[in-house]
């Protein structure tokens, strides 16, 4: 890129799990990431806006985005009501100066929330100015299901472009698990693609979140296409380091992921 601002490359706090969010701020500062995405989940720091603000100030690392607690394991965090959780995520983003809130599509059993989801996203974007980027998901094998059986837990589908939203998050670990064409999905998202969870996958029906370049997803090609198309969104590394045997191995994986992103973004 020449006269344009470089695309910011952030680190998801989920990338250091089972360590806490504060470690993600410290490693982001040490390795030269442009910011962090806060995954709001069981870690008490991730739920505490004041604590997150202190970590940001202490390390000089801004919060680029907030991942709303929309995972199965986070259904009771902040509130049992998913609409309240999304509203609180937007409030947190505003307080932390984050541009984006990442959210999953509603689960199939969240009927009232699902019926109102599109209107709620529109209302919150209009009132806050925060981008609410709906993420692509993947089907899972049901308990007791055969090896090739897959079901979607999301309504109306795992592909948010089936509904149509103003902003999207493209997750490449999810496209791998869903056996979806990531480049075709990016094209369907069009100008609405404002956020990328950069990771890799081999095509196994699970969320692998490999370091980019270690799986079969077109990570490099996507980044290069985004730059050539004038992408003005954010790239966030959301990789799995929980199997790192040592702290040094975790640091190497996070550094390799950042180098991969910067290289293919032309930075």
């Amino acid at each position: 890129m020449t006269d344009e601002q470089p695309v910011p490359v952030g680190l998801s706090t989920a990338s250091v799990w089972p360590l806490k969010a504060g470690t993600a701020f410290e490693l982001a500062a040490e390795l030269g990431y442009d910011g962090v995405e806060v995954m709001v989940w069981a870690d008490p720091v991730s739920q505490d806006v004041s604590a997150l603000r202190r970590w940001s100030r202490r390390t000089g690392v801004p919060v680029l985005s907030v991942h709303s607690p929309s995972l199965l394991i986070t259904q009771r965090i902040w509130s049992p009501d998913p609409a309240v959780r999304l509203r609180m995520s937007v409030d947190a983003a505003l307080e932390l100066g984050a541009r984006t809130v990442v959210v999953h599509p509603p689960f199939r059993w969240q009927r009232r929330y699902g019926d109102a989801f599109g209107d709620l996203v529109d209302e919150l974007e209009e009132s806050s100015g925060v981008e609410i980027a709906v993420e692509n998901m993947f089907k899972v094998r049901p308990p007791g299901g055969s090896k090739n059986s897959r079901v979607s837990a999301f309504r109306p589908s795992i592909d948010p472009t089936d509904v149509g939203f103003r902003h999207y998050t493209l997750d490449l670990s999810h496209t791998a698990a869903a056996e979806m064409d990531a480049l075709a999905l990016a094209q369907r998202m069009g100008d609405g693609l404002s956020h990328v969870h950069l990771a890799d996958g081999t095509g196994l029906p699970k969320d692998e979140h490999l370091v980019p370049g270690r799986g079969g997803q077109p990570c490099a090609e996507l980044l290069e296409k985004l730059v050539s198309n004038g992408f003005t969104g954010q790239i966030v590394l959301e990789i799995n380091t929980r199997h790192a045997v040592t702290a040094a191995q975790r640091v190497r994986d996070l550094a390799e992921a950042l180098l991969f992103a910067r290289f293919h973004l032309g930075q």
Side-chain angles (χ1 to χ4, degrees):
M1 303 181 74
T2 53
D3 296 333
E4 300 176 5
Q5 285 292 105
V7 175
V9 180
L11 176 65
S12 170
T13 59
S15 297
V16 305
W17 187 85
L19 303 181
K20 305 300 185 184
T23 302
F25 280 91
E26 291 175 331
L27 289 175
E30 178 184 336
L31 296 172
Y33 280 84
D34 297 313
V36 301
E37 173 171 300
V38 174
M39 171 69 82
V40 181
W41 56 5
D43 174 9
V45 173
S46 74
Q47 304 170 32
D48 186 334
V49 172
S50 296
L52 292 167
R53 188 184 297 113
R54 287 194 295 273
W55 273 109
S56 180
R57 289 173 177 169
R58 186 181 308 165
T59 58
V61 174
V63 177
L64 301 178
S65 48
V66 173
H67 195 309
S68 178
S70 45
L71 303 173
L72 267 177
I73 61 173
T74 60
Q75 294 300 291
R76 309 296 294 183
I77 288 174
W78 282 348
S79 169
D81 185 336
V84 172
R85 292 199 300 272
L86 182 54
R87 290 184 182 278
M88 292 181 70
S89 300
V90 171
D91 290 343
L94 286 170
E95 290 189 55
L96 294 166
R99 164 180 165 175
T100 304
V101 165
V102 177
V103 65
H104 294 176
F107 288 114
R108 290 169 62 182
W109 54 86
Q110 295 172 324
R111 295 185 179 180
R112 183 180 301 176
Y113 175 59
D115 288 342
F117 183 67
D119 290 337
L120 176 62
V121 168
D122 287 343
E123 173 210 323
L124 290 173
E125 287 198 319
E126 290 292 339
S127 62
S128 69
V130 173
E131 296 176 357
I132 301 178
V134 185
E135 187 171 8
N136 61 294
M137 301 305 294
F138 57 96
K139 295 181 179 181
V140 297
R141 184 188 303 172
S146 66
K147 181 178 179 180
N148 295 320
S149 62
R150 301 284 184 274
V151 296
S152 171
F154 302 95
R155 58 176 300 190
S157 79
I158 60 174
D159 182 350
T161 67
D162 288 344
V163 175
F165 295 96
R166 193 177 304 177
H167 298 104
Y168 299 102
T169 295
L170 174 58
D171 187 304
L172 282 93
S173 178
H174 293 178
T175 55
E179 297 183 318
M180 295 176 69
D181 184 329
L183 297 178
L185 179 57
Q187 188 169 10
R188 291 197 299 278
M189 290 177 170
D191 292 340
L193 175 53
S194 62
H195 202 74
V196 174
H197 280 168
L198 185 61
D200 215 330
T202 63
L204 292 176
K206 63 179 183 178
D207 206 2
E208 295 178 280
H209 283 289
L210 303 178
V211 172
R214 297 185 186 177
Q217 289 298 287
C219 298
E221 188 175 354
L222 174 71
L223 294 178
E224 291 162 7
K225 281 184 176 294
L226 290 176
V227 171
S228 66
N229 292 336
F231 179 70
T232 58
Q234 300 170 327
I235 307 295
V236 168
L237 273 302
E238 191 182 64
I239 64 171
N240 177 2
T241 65
R242 69 177 180 270
H243 298 303
V245 178
T246 64
Q249 182 181 340
R250 174 177 284 108
V251 169
R252 284 196 299 270
D253 285 349
L254 296 177
E256 179 183 331
L258 177 60
L259 180 62
F260 183 100
R262 293 222 188 277
F263 180 80
H264 291 288
L265 288 168
Q267 298 176 6

